[in-house]
């Protein structure tokens, strides 16, 4: 069967794993065009340029109209609301409707907006698919008396020390890696693209009920997934950075990570980091801290090529990054990797990820013995 | 117990207040409160006072040692002065220029008495002239910025003069062009203006394009008109400015809320009189920034009418931080100072100085707000001399002159040994502008700037201590006592 050509729009930093993995996870699709406004600075450049990486094989264009025309489906990529790129996503959706192309929408829309687009698309016979997150199971009155569920499958958790340090790409790579080995994986993340990939998108910030009740609900959610899918491996990407970065950049103080850690423990934990944190003296106490706080220490460390720019006075509540050339970062990582007992690497590189996969295989999947929870 | 005499000295600043004894630990960027005997002993160690050292009780010496064991009173020094951004400088300038400032004109319709571009006041700076940036140059500047800011999340273009609105046509062309070039990114525009040229149409335009607008206004009519006079007739500009501010509020009230005023204070005037500006029903609703007038020969005079009012209000302002005085009753210029103080003292917090570091003063030249003059030449910011060779960082045609950029970034190297041994290392405020002497970076000039910089660093430390003492004291006292 011929694959359907997808026009992915608007492309931004977080979207590299979506473009790279679309065909891997959804066999019926192939990327036909990657579009973003010319002001992003990627016109006729490879998508890797946005992160100063080597060529990844997809050219970016700003020609929205023509790109949509040349494709079968328009994939509106996930973007933060009230930003120019979100508005561009809406513009792309309207162009897709004008050209009567099917739409997959990863944008968060208000109920009203979603209904309006559904109505218009129905009238025009356009297939409009909005990726919605899974819902946590409802509160159970018996939750405090029920026993807590411990999955049978090993659980790999991927967390980030800062936002946008390639955690989702590492997650996708791992899911893909084990999937190709024939291992049945249940994969859970907050990113909307996960739903598109046939994996689980979940909004962990669902605020219904008491905080502790949310922990039970996450635990039930994992149980339901395990019972339905009977996975050999569960892979979870945490939704927000695991700790506050400093007094100004606080994220959610690591509360999401803590909450999820109470609901489910990691058999193997990969932390993703900005560039420059290489010392064992940095990672060892942090691992001990995580062990005490979350119940699991660090097993492997992904070092991204994102250098924190702490000279930017304009945006105090967010970290700013500058991307160093990925090859340079990889060289530096290889040089220092032997100086720490943690498995250190750039896990966007599938070759380096193989070491993590080997370790998971040997310690969790083909282990000669193991503790029953 | 090891006697501390003749040993390398800790890198600290020891000081006391009427309520306590403290030292600021440079290597950790922290302030430690100590008891009086320990303070005296540390003082003796620092000054090699043999007699005091001999007479100190064992208990006090062991307290000293306890602090050392906890990582305080460290004697180590930075081994190499090198700005942490040095190795990534090219990367920053290639991918992440935060903001650019375009000199759209060198002309101004005012002749403010203190203006650095006045023909007579500042020999080391260019003078007012009719030179204007062309759209061709401006376009190249926008293209250059675009090509060097792929990692900049919120690009910003500032317009600078003279009076920028004397070249409004260019500003409008640049805005139109830049919005196209940066489509899809949250581009913002900024201008400082004397507000004499604000028409209804211009106000609507600025509101529509969400300009960050800052209006220069030095005080009430009596003060403002002393300095800020029209070039054409030497008459004060106050009435025109205030009329335009009223127009701004009446025409675009939502936009007006985002506009701020910028006041250059001449402290020869009365503090009360300066602050009477904020009786105006519109101006009092605007955010207000201020700075003290700068003179090339550092001959700024502070009158008692200024200092008395300022100090008293600072006292009230500090009380307001502890909710012991209504903030609304503190004069506006002091409210801003107190807010700035609270921001500044947050910078005194734990962090370890490494073997390689640089004093705190310089920004990353060219990255923070690259100033591009009417010809397309680069400077670190709009405040430096455009006639200085050492401040010239390149041009739109040649790109960055990296040697100059490195030198301005690493001015700490000019006085490497002094800096290594300076307690104010982290809070140093000396940047390239302060070190520029006849177009060269001068160690001697840098040393001259040290006193002022250390004064500012100590001021930060004192303020943090003051708030600590105030809150500690007030926690022991109830209201009404």
């Amino acid at each position: 069967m011929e694959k359907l050509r997808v026009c992915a729009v608007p492309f931004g930093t977080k979207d590299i794993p979506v473009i790279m993995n679309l065909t891997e996870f959804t066999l019926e699709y192939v990327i036909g065009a990657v579009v973003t406004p010319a002001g992003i600075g990627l016109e006729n450049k490879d998508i890797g340029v946005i992160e100063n990486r080597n060529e990844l094989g997809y050219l970016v264009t700003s020609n929205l109209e023509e790109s949509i025309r040349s494709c079968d489906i328009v994939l509106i990529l996930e973007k933060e609301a009230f930003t120019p790129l979100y508005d561009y996503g809406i513009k792309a959706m309207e162009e897709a409707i004008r050209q009567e192309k099917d739409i997959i929408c990863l944008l968060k829309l208000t109920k009203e907006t979603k209904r309006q687009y559904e109505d218009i698309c129905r009238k025009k016979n356009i297939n409009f698919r909005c990726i919605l997150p899974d819902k946590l199971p409802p509160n159970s009155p018996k939750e405090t008396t029920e026993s807590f569920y411990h999955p049978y499958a090993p659980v790999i958790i991927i967390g980030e020390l800062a936002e946008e340090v390639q955690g989702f790409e590492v997650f996708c790579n791992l899911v893909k890696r084990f999937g190709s080995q024939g291992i049945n994986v249940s994969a859970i993340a907050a990113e909307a693209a996960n739903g598109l990939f046939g994996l689980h998108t979940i909004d962990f910030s669902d605020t219904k009920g008491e905080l502790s009740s949310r922990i039970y609900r996450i635990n039930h959610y994992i149980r339901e997934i395990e019972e339905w899918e009977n996975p050999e491996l569960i892979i979870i990407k945490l939704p927000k950075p695991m700790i506050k970065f400093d007094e100004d950049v606080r994220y959610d103080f690591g509360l999401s990570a803590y909450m999820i850690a109470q609901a489910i423990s990691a058999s193997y934990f990969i932390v993703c980091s900005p560039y420059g944190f290489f010392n064992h003296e940095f990672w060892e106490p942090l691992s001990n801290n995580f062990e005490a706080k979350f119940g699991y220490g660090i097993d492997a460390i992904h070092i991204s090529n994102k250098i924190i720019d702490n000279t930017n006075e304009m945006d105090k509540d967010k970290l700013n990054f500058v991307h160093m050339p990925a090859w340079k970062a990889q060289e530096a990582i290889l040089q220092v990797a032997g100086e720490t007992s943690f498995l250190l690497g750039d896990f966007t590189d599938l070759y380096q990820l193989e070491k993590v996969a080997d370790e998971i295989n040997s310690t969790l999947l083909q282990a000669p013995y193991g503790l029953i929870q | 117990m090891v006697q501390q005499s003749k040993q390398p000295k800790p890198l600290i600043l020891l000081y006391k207040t009427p309520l306590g004894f403290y030292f600021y630990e440079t290597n950790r960027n922290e302030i430690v409160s100590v008891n009086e005997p320990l303070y005296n002993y540390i003082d003796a160690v620092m000054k090699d006072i043999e007699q005091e050292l001999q007479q100190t009780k064992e208990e006090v010496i062991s307290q000293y040692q306890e602090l050392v064991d906890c990582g305080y009173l460290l004697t180590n020094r930075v081994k190499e002065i090198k700005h942490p951004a040095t190795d990534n400088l090219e990367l920053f300038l290639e991918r992440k220029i935060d903001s650019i400032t375009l000199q759209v004109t060198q002309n101004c319709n005012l002749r403010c008495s203190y203006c650095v571009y006045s023909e007579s006041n500042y020999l080391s700076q260019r003078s007012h002239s009719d030179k204007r940036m062309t759209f061709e140059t401006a376009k190249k500047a926008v293209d250059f910025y675009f090509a060097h800011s792929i990692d900049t999340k919120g690009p910003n273009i500032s317009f600078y003069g003279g009076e920028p609105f004397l070249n409004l046509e260019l500003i409008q062309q640049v805005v139109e062009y830049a919005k196209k070039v940066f489509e899809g990114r949250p581009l913002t525009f900024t201008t400082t203006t004397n507000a004499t040229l604000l028409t209804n149409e211009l106000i609507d335009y600025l509101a529509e394009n969400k300009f960050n607008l800052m209006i220069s206004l030095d005080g009430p009519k009596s003060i403002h008109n002393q300095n800020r006079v029209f070039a054409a007739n030497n008459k004060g500009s106050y009435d025109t400015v205030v009329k335009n501010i009223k127009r701004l509020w009446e025409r675009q009230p939502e936009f007006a809320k985002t506009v701020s005023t910028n006041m250059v204070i001449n402290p020869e005037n009365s503090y009360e009189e300066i602050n009477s500006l904020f009786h105006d029903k519109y101006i009092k609703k605007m955010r207000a920034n201020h700075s003290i007038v700068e003179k090339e020969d550092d001959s700024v005079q502070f009158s008692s009418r200024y200092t008395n009012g300022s100090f008293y209000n600072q006292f009230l302002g500090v009380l307001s931080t502890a909710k012991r005085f209504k903030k609304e009753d503190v004069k506006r210029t002091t409210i801003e100072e107190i807010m700035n103080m609270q921001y500044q003292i947050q910078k005194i917090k734990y962090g370890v100085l490494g073997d390689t570091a640089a004093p705190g003063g310089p920004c990353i030249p060219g990255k923070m707000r690259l100033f591009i003059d009417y010809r397309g030449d680069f400077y670190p910011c709009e405040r430096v001399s455009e006639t200085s060779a050492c401040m010239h960082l390149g041009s739109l045609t040649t790109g960055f002159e990296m040697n100059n950029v490195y030198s301005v970034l690493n001015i700490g190297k000019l006085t490497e040994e002094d800096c290594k041994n300076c307690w104010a290392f982290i809070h140093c405020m000396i940047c390239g502008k302060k070190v520029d002497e006849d177009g060269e970076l001068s160690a001697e000039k840098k040393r001259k700037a040290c006193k002022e910089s250390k004064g500012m660093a100590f001021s930060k430390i004192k303020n943090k201590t003051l708030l600590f003492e105030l809150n500690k004291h007030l926690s022991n006292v109830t209201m009404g006592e």
Side-chain angles (χ1 to χ4, degrees):
Chain A
M1 193 180 97
E2 201 172 322
K3 293 189 177 199
L4 297 170
R5 286 168 59 81
V6 173
C7 170
V9 58
F11 176 76
T13 320
K14 290 181 184 173
D15 301 314
I16 287 181
V18 185
I19 306 297
M20 298 298 292
N21 292 300
L22 185 74
T23 306
E24 300 274 353
F25 287 115
T26 52
L27 297 175
E28 67 270 38
Y29 299 137
V30 62
I31 292 287
V34 180
V35 185
T36 206
I40 303 300
L42 295 170
E43 182 76 46
N44 290 325
K45 291 179 184 161
D46 186 88
I47 56 169
V49 170
I50 203 166
E51 287 191 343
N52 211 356
R53 292 163 64 168
N54 300 338
E55 280 190 10
L56 298 172
Y58 296 92
L59 279 188
V60 182
T61 174
S62 62
N63 191 338
L64 179 66
E65 221 177 294
E66 197 44 51
S67 302
I68 290 179
R69 188 163 294 120
S70 68
C71 291
D72 306 301
I73 294 183
V74 180
L75 170 63
I76 311 290
L77 296 161
E78 188 174 15
K79 292 288 161 283
E80 213 175 300
F82 310 111
T83 60
L85 282 185
Y86 184 96
D87 296 343
Y88 193 87
I90 296 290
K91 180 180 158 185
M93 199 135 66
E94 294 189 346
E95 178 60 29
I97 291 169
R98 198 182 67 77
Q99 295 193 28
E100 302 191 353
K101 299 282 182 175
D102 288 346
I103 297 169
I104 301 172
C105 180
L106 304 185
L107 287 182
K108 279 193 182 78
L109 302 174
T110 62
K111 271 187 190 165
E112 180 58 21
T113 314
K114 183 171 163 279
R115 196 187 52 76
Q116 280 172 0
Y117 280 120
E118 281 169 344
D119 285 349
I120 296 168
C121 290
R122 197 178 307 113
K123 280 176 198 157
K124 291 192 161 230
N125 207 21
I126 296 168
N127 191 358
F128 178 77
R129 180 180 166 207
C130 225
I131 302 291
L132 299 174
D134 291 353
K135 282 199 169 8
L136 287 178
N139 290 331
S140 158
K142 292 188 292 179
E143 61 192 16
T144 48
T145 53
E146 275 177 6
S147 60
F148 219 60
Y149 183 71
H150 298 285
Y152 297 104
V155 177
I156 299 169
I157 289 184
I158 296 160
E160 294 177 310
L161 287 193
E163 80 274 68
E164 295 179 36
V165 286
Q166 300 169 330
F168 187 56
E169 188 168 351
V170 174
F171 166 88
C172 290
N173 284 350
L174 262 189
V175 175
K176 200 164 58 180
R177 166 64 182 75
F178 285 107
S180 70
Q181 198 182 316
I183 288 172
N184 184 19
V185 179
S186 290
I188 303 160
E191 281 75 0
N194 229 27
L196 171 66
F197 293 165
L199 310 172
H200 295 279
T201 295
I202 174 73
D203 181 7
F204 288 107
S205 63
D206 173 352
T207 51
K208 283 176 208 146
E210 293 281 313
L211 200 58
S212 59
S213 160
R214 237 182 294 167
I215 294 167
Y216 286 106
R217 291 166 65 206
I218 294 170
N219 185 259
H220 284 187
Y221 176 68
I222 304 288
R223 177 185 196 148
E224 282 178 8
I225 287 175
E226 182 155 58
E227 284 173 355
W228 276 100
E229 297 179 358
N230 194 21
E232 291 158 272
L233 199 59
I234 297 171
I235 303 180
I236 300 171
K237 183 199 163 261
L238 299 177
K240 287 180 179 153
M242 302 181 71
I243 46 173
K244 71 173 184 181
F245 183 78
D246 61 19
E247 288 293 307
D248 297 321
V249 183
R250 295 169 282 232
Y251 306 122
D252 73 341
F253 300 92
L255 285 177
S256 296
Y258 182 74
M259 189 177 67
I260 296 164
Q262 297 311 303
I264 185 160
S265 188
S267 323
Y268 192 91
F269 172 55
I270 304 168
V271 67
C272 303
S273 165
Y275 180 82
F277 299 92
F278 293 138
N279 288 343
H280 190 74
E281 289 72 27
F282 173 81
W283 290 111
E284 194 180 28
L286 190 69
S287 180
N288 293 338
N289 177 301
F290 281 5
E291 177 93 52
K293 191 152 100 187
F294 301 120
Y296 46 79
I298 296 170
D299 294 295
I301 302 160
H302 163 70
I303 304 276
S304 68
N305 64 332
K306 291 166 186 251
I307 299 176
I308 296 169
D309 171 15
N310 49 21
T311 63
N312 193 314
E313 294 265 314
M314 294 168 103
D315 206 359
K316 289 197 181 64
D317 59 344
K318 277 186 177 168
L319 282 186
N320 275 272
F321 297 109
V322 63
H323 294 89
M324 71 181 301
W327 63 268
K328 240 181 173 175
Q330 287 185 2
E331 259 184 25
I333 293 164
L334 286 176
Q335 271 180 8
V336 296
E339 292 169 19
T340 170
S341 57
F342 296 104
L343 186 49
L344 199 83
D346 170 3
F347 304 140
T348 61
D349 174 26
L350 298 178
Y351 177 76
Q352 291 194 46
L353 184 81
E354 206 50 35
K355 285 183 275 183
V356 176
D358 285 349
E359 206 168 79
I360 292 169
N361 265 322
S362 62
T363 59
L364 298 173
L365 297 176
Q366 292 150 16
Y369 50 83
L371 187 68
I372 290 178
Q373 296 260 18
Chain B
M1 190 65 63
V2 181
Q3 281 293 351
Q4 297 296 327
S5 175
K6 308 297 180 195
Q7 302 277 331
K9 300 288 179 279
L11 189 58
I12 60 168
L13 172 73
L14 192 64
Y15 64 99
K16 60 183 173 184
T17 72
L19 295 177
F21 302 87
Y22 307 90
F23 66 86
Y24 165 73
E25 175 87 32
T26 303
N27 275 295
R28 298 173 61 111
N29 195 24
E30 286 180 312
I31 297 170
V32 180
S33 165
V34 292
N35 60 35
E36 188 172 4
L38 183 53
Y39 172 88
N40 290 333
Y41 181 64
I42 297 170
D43 190 40
V45 170
M46 297 299 286
K47 295 176 183 161
D48 285 333
I49 307 170
E50 283 294 340
Q51 198 184 356
E52 180 78 30
L53 291 171
Q54 299 299 336
Q55 289 172 358
T56 303
K57 287 182 186 166
E58 198 60 32
E59 182 194 348
V60 176
I61 298 172
S62 73
Q63 286 168 355
Y64 185 102
Q65 194 53 46
E66 260 176 48
L67 275 171
V68 173
D69 293 343
C70 291
Y72 291 93
L73 299 164
L74 299 173
T75 56
N76 54 308
R77 304 288 192 266
V78 166
K79 291 191 174 63
E80 187 194 1
I81 300 278
K82 183 178 162 189
H83 195 284
T86 307
D87 291 339
N88 290 317
L89 194 50
E90 288 189 31
L91 185 67
F92 277 121
L93 297 181
E94 185 190 313
R95 290 183 65 98
K96 200 170 181 299
I97 294 178
D98 294 327
S99 165
I100 60 166
T101 304
L102 302 182
Q103 183 186 58
V104 292
T105 173
Q106 285 196 346
N107 209 349
C108 188
N109 58 338
L110 300 189
R111 285 295 179 275
C112 305
S113 57
Y114 51 75
C115 179
V116 294
Y117 306 120
S118 289
E119 287 76 357
S120 53
N121 281 3
Y122 289 82
L123 301 174
S124 60
Q125 179 59 288
R126 59 110 178 148
S127 302
H128 291 301
S129 82
D130 288 332
K131 289 163 186 158
R132 294 152 74 92
M133 184 177 270
T134 62
F135 182 49
E136 194 190 355
T137 305
K139 242 174 107 173
K140 277 187 197 160
V142 172
D143 291 342
F144 181 89
Y145 181 34
F146 178 65
H148 291 78
S149 61
I150 193 168
D151 284 337
T152 307
K153 281 186 184 163
N156 172 266
I157 298 177
S158 281
F159 301 102
Y160 196 73
E163 165 51 40
F165 292 136
L166 284 175
N167 199 357
L168 177 59
E169 191 189 348
L170 178 72
I171 291 175
Q172 290 175 327
Q173 284 174 309
V174 171
V175 168
E176 193 184 345
Y177 180 66
K179 279 179 9 186
K180 277 186 202 145
V181 170
F182 283 92
E183 188 204 357
R185 286 159 86 180
L187 176 66
T188 54
F189 302 100
T190 303
T191 302
T192 302
T193 175
N194 61 34
T196 58
L197 301 171
L198 290 180
T199 59
N200 288 343
E201 294 72 29
L202 179 54
I203 288 168
D204 291 348
Y205 175 79
L206 296 171
E208 188 188 322
N209 289 287
K210 297 189 178 82
F211 264 65
N212 301 310
L213 190 69
M214 194 182 277
I215 294 176
S216 303
L217 189 58
D218 284 358
K221 189 171 180 176
S222 55
I223 292 175
H224 181 91
N225 283 352
Q226 285 170 15
N227 297 323
R228 301 184 67 83
V229 297
F230 283 104
N233 57 16
N234 214 31
K235 285 192 176 158
S237 58
Y238 181 84
D239 288 341
T240 311
V241 176
V242 169
K243 188 184 75 188
N244 286 340
I245 288 175
K246 181 170 177 265
R247 188 208 299 263
L248 175 74
W249 276 94
E250 287 172 353
R251 201 167 172 85
Q252 293 284 355
E254 284 307 308
F255 172 60
K257 286 179 195 165
T258 69
V259 178
S260 54
T261 61
N262 186 38
M263 183 190 269
V264 177
I265 289 179
N266 180 353
E268 287 171 20
N269 292 307
S270 141
Y271 178 87
E272 292 285 335
E273 194 181 349
I274 292 167
N275 275 281
S276 68
L277 172 70
F278 300 105
H279 295 157
D280 181 280
K281 76 169 188 178
Y282 296 115
I283 296 169
K284 74 178 174 191
K285 290 193 280 190
M286 299 165 82
R287 280 181 296 136
N289 307 305
H290 77 265
S291 59
I292 300 290
V293 66
E294 282 183 35
K295 293 191 177 172
E296 198 166 47
D297 56 3
D298 293 332
S299 61
V300 181
Q301 301 291 322
F302 285 76
S303 69
S304 58
R305 292 181 306 159
Y306 182 82
T307 47
N308 291 347
S310 173
F311 284 151
Y312 178 60
N313 270 274
Q314 278 177 24
F315 168 70
L316 299 178
V318 167
L319 282 180
S320 77
T321 65
K323 309 260 185 285
R324 296 294 168 128
F325 191 81
K326 278 188 195 162
K327 194 176 161 191
E328 301 81 63
D329 292 339
V330 181
K331 300 281 186 223
R332 281 291 296 275
T333 56
T334 303
I335 288 176
E336 188 214 327
E337 283 166 12
I338 296 293
M339 279 163 62
N340 187 39
M341 174 183 106
Q342 288 177 312
Y343 171 67
Q344 290 296 335
I345 64 175
Q346 281 174 19
K347 293 182 179 173
I348 305 175
K349 62 181 178 189
Y350 175 68
V352 179
L353 263 184
D355 286 346
T356 304
C363 63
I364 301 179
K367 174 188 175 286
M368 300 278 283
R369 44 183 176 157
L370 176 67
F371 179 65
I372 305 175
D373 80 355
Y374 76 99
R375 292 167 300 191
D377 283 351
F378 296 163
Y379 300 89
C381 68
E382 71 286 358
R383 302 188 69 210
V384 305
S385 169
E386 293 156 47
T387 60
S388 165
C390 66
M391 290 296 142
H392 188 260
L393 302 184
S395 74
L396 289 171
T397 44
T398 60
F400 283 107
E401 285 171 19
M402 290 309 293
N403 285 342
N404 275 10
V405 182
Y406 280 114
S407 302
V408 177
L409 179 67
N410 280 297
I411 52 167
K413 282 196 177 293
L414 292 168
T415 51
E416 189 145 6
E417 287 312 306
D418 296 359
C419 290
K420 284 177 184 172
N421 289 297
C422 179
W423 62 264
F425 189 93
I426 293 170
H427 299 285
C428 179
M429 299 287 279
I430 303 172
C431 71
K433 178 183 183 286
K434 295 263 182 193
V435 180
D436 177 7
E437 186 151 47
D438 301 329
E440 286 184 15
L441 299 172
S442 154
E444 198 185 335
K445 192 156 183 207
K446 183 164 184 288
R447 286 195 186 94
K448 278 186 194 159
C450 281
K451 191 179 166 195
E452 187 194 356
S453 182
K454 281 182 183 167
M456 288 163 86
F458 187 39
S459 175
K460 244 187 253 181
I461 291 167
K462 272 195 305 190
N463 286 333
K464 180 147 184 159
T465 312
L466 173 67
L467 290 188
F468 164 75
E469 287 179 347
L470 179 73
N471 286 308
K472 190 176 163 197
H473 175 69
L474 288 178
S475 66
N476 297 325
V477 183
T478 54
M479 282 289 269
E481 269 188 67

